[in-house]
């Protein structure tokens, strides 16, 4: 396994600064966020900028395991859905443009919707996801669906059912264990279910149980990363463990995106050592 950092926690940080800082800390890779409000929003990434970012990644010896393109797949407004699919499919194209050799980033998204929509909107979601996955498959890019608290897919069972219904090797999971930890599902239970079907991960820290919970920077809360890493390895996961800083944390008055990345690295690199897991 390797250690990554998501620019989700760096919406206003220039990509040059983000890549340099993440590399200097010692991370092995970086996830690029392309949604609105970010310095790397998709529409800003013309051909020249894509070439420049690709060069920056190579010069700083950073992999690009994933692209965060989170956009709802369930919006019924045709114009909004068109824009969302533009971003998601654009993320697929970007993954090809930024590919480093045969290493192609996965495109991460959350599904949208609400938990209570599952029974009524499941087939609609499968249709929408199927279209996106078909496009990804045509370019050799995997779509990574992230189960998320408050979304239509909020349990391991639902995401596993989605994988079964879509039935494509180009649909995997972006496994953010925080969304299960805050509802009290044991780490072993979620890891054993999702590690084998995951292509990418997010980790943050968290305390409390939904609805009274708080997302935190890795190391600020009680989550046991050593246990988590050992379980991930035991269940066959060999990809990136990528730190993500939530919007909840970013709303703090004194939030410092570079300091958050530094603290995340200190926490997670130490956990790798304590777990006895080499990053390779």
């Amino acid at each position: 396994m390797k250690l990554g950092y998501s620019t989700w926690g760096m919406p206003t940080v220039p990509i040059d600064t983000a890549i340099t800082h993440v590399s200097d800390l010692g991370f092995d890779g970086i996830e690029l966020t392309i949604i609105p409000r970010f310095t790397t929003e998709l529409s800003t990434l013309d051909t020249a900028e894509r070439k420049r970012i690709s060069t920056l990644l190579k010069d700083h010896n950073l992999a690009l395991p994933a692209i965060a393109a989170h956009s709802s797949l369930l919006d019924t407004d045709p114009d909004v859905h068109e824009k969302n699919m533009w971003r998601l499919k654009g993320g697929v194209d970007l993954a090809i443009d930024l590919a480093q050799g045969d290493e192609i980033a996965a495109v991460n998204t959350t599904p949208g919707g609400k938990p209570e929509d599952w029974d009524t909107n499941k087939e609609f979601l499968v249709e929408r996801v199927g279209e996106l996955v078909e496009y990804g498959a045509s370019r050799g890019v995997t779509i990574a669906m992230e189960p998320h608290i408050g979304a239509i897919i909020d349990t391991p069972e639902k995401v596993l059912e989605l994988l079964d219904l879509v039935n494509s090797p180009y649909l995997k999971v972006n496994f953010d264990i925080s969304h299960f930890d805050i509802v009290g599902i044991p780490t072993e239970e979620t890891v054993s279910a999702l590690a084998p079907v995951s292509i990418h991960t997010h980790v943050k820290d968290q305390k409390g149980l939904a609805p009274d919970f708080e997302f935190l920077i890795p190391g600020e809360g009680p989550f046991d990363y050593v246990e988590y890493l050992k379980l991930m390895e035991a269940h066959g996961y060999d990809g990136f463990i990528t730190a993500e800083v939530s919007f909840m944390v970013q709303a703090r008055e004194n939030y410092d995106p570079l300091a958050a990345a530094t603290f995340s690295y200190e926490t997670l690199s130490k956990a790798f050592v304590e777990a006895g897991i080499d990053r390779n």
Side-chain angles (χ1 to χ4, degrees):
M1 290 185 286
K2 295 184 179 181
L3 184 52
Y5 195 77
S6 176
T7 63
W8 191 270
M10 300 176 160
T12 63
V13 177
I15 190 58
D16 312 63
T17 303
I19 286 176
T20 299
H21 186 67
V22 168
S23 173
D24 287 349
L25 286 171
F27 282 101
D28 306 305
I30 192 167
E31 176 187 43
L32 193 67
T33 308
I34 61 170
I35 65 173
R37 292 181 45 222
F38 281 75
T39 58
T40 48
E41 192 275 320
L42 183 61
S43 67
T44 68
L45 303 180
D46 59 18
T47 300
E49 182 65 358
R50 294 177 187 215
K51 290 180 179 178
R52 194 178 74 86
I53 291 173
S54 181
T55 299
L56 283 168
L57 292 170
K58 291 174 184 175
D59 289 348
H60 288 83
N61 196 31
L62 280 179
L64 182 73
I67 292 168
H70 302 312
S71 302
S72 174
L73 285 154
L74 289 173
D75 206 293
T76 55
D77 182 312
D79 293 335
V80 174
H81 177 62
E82 181 180 8
K83 183 69 172 178
N84 289 345
M85 288 298 281
W86 167 82
R87 180 171 296 107
L88 291 165
K89 290 180 178 179
V92 169
D93 297 337
L94 181 64
I96 296 299
D97 290 343
L98 298 182
Q100 300 178 65
D102 58 358
E103 296 181 1
I104 302 175
V107 175
N108 293 340
T109 189
T110 44
K114 299 177 181 179
E116 58 268 26
D117 297 337
W118 178 248
D119 289 334
T120 54
N121 281 359
K122 177 169 52 178
E123 294 304 322
F124 184 48
L125 177 64
V126 168
E127 179 182 338
R128 290 276 180 89
V129 172
E131 178 189 346
L132 177 61
V133 169
E134 184 177 353
Y135 184 77
S138 73
R139 306 221 65 193
V141 176
T142 299
I143 306 301
M145 181 59 65
E146 180 179 330
H148 197 287
I149 188 169
I152 189 172
I153 297 177
D154 61 340
T155 66
E157 292 77 16
K158 285 181 181 178
V159 75
L160 290 173
E161 186 174 353
L162 178 73
L163 293 179
D164 184 59
L165 290 169
V166 175
N167 191 27
S168 170
Y170 289 93
L171 178 63
K172 300 289 186 182
V173 174
N174 183 60
F175 179 19
D176 184 336
I177 196 167
S178 70
H179 295 288
F180 307 114
D181 194 53
I182 58 172
V183 295
I185 304 177
T187 299
E188 164 69 32
E189 184 176 331
T190 52
V191 169
S192 62
L194 297 184
V197 293
S198 295
I199 193 171
H200 190 249
T201 68
H202 286 154
V203 292
K204 35 190 178 285
D205 221 324
Q206 51 279 337
K207 64 180 179 181
L209 292 174
D212 300 315
F213 71 92
E214 183 180 359
F215 286 134
L216 304 166
I217 299 170
E220 290 184 333
F223 187 70
D224 189 339
Y225 294 101
V226 175
E227 176 198 25
Y228 163 77
L229 290 171
K230 288 180 177 180
L231 286 170
M232 290 292 282
E233 182 179 58
H235 286 282
Y237 183 78
D238 62 359
F240 271 79
I241 304 296
T242 296
E244 179 194 56
V245 178
S246 71
F247 287 153
M248 188 181 290
V249 171
Q250 294 176 42
R252 297 176 186 174
E253 185 177 350
N254 62 345
Y255 177 66
D256 181 336
L258 300 185
T262 300
F263 192 66
S264 297
Y265 183 79
E266 291 170 351
T267 298
L268 295 170
S269 61
K270 180 181 177 182
F272 266 85
V273 172
E274 292 182 0
I277 296 173
D278 292 330
R279 286 158 48 191
N280 52 39

